[in-house]
Amino acid sequence: MSFDLSDFLPYQLAVASSRISRQFAERYKAEFGLTIPEWRVLAHLAQSDAVSVREIHARVDMDKSKVSRAAARLEAAGLIEKRENPEDRRLLDMRLTAKGGALIARIVPIANAYQAELMALLGPDAEGFQTGLHRLYEDR
């Protein structure tokens, strides 16, 4: 039986994802001191009014403990606030503070520039590649 790991799509996606995430993290960590989990929490809160740790865990496929620790650091920095969920008092909802929103506004241009670099690297295959990725993660 022949098997070439470098041609195995799940492996290729995992390696590419890790490299891309790490390269992007270098950019925002250098300027803003954020970790990857902190960035992901902030990014998701920027798109939602209020989100629980459980919801972020489900959306980004990141351990609940990582999400919780990142949220605690962000709260201590005054970037997010936690409130009791009005529908389920066992849950806490998180939302951006004004300071957190201002930070996201400074990071978004960096994220958009990095996205443009990746799309340029993919060239004419970029749109099809992105469509395929959407199918992979929306179908599961």
Side-chain angles (χ1 to χ4, degrees), residues 57-108:
H57 159 72
R59 290 180 188 177
V60 299
D61 196 30
M62 189 169 47
D63 293 338
K64 286 181 191 176
S65 61
K66 281 188 179 182
V67 175
S68 292
R69 286 192 302 269
R73 289 189 301 267
L74 294 169
E75 183 179 32
L79 299 169
I80 70 167
E81 62 183 5
K82 295 177 184 175
R83 296 184 188 165
E84 188 178 89
N85 181 309
E87 296 170 14
D88 186 344
R89 292 184 177 184
R90 296 170 298 167
L91 295 177
L92 291 175
D93 287 337
M94 300 176 292
R95 52 190 60 150
L96 289 176
T97 62
K99 183 178 175 182
L103 178 61
I104 283 291
R106 292 175 57 205
I107 297 174
V108 165

Side-chain angles (χ1 to χ4, degrees), residues 122-134:
L122 290 169
D125 300 323
E127 189 176 324
F129 181 77
Q130 201 165 31
T131 299
L133 284 177
H134 284 288

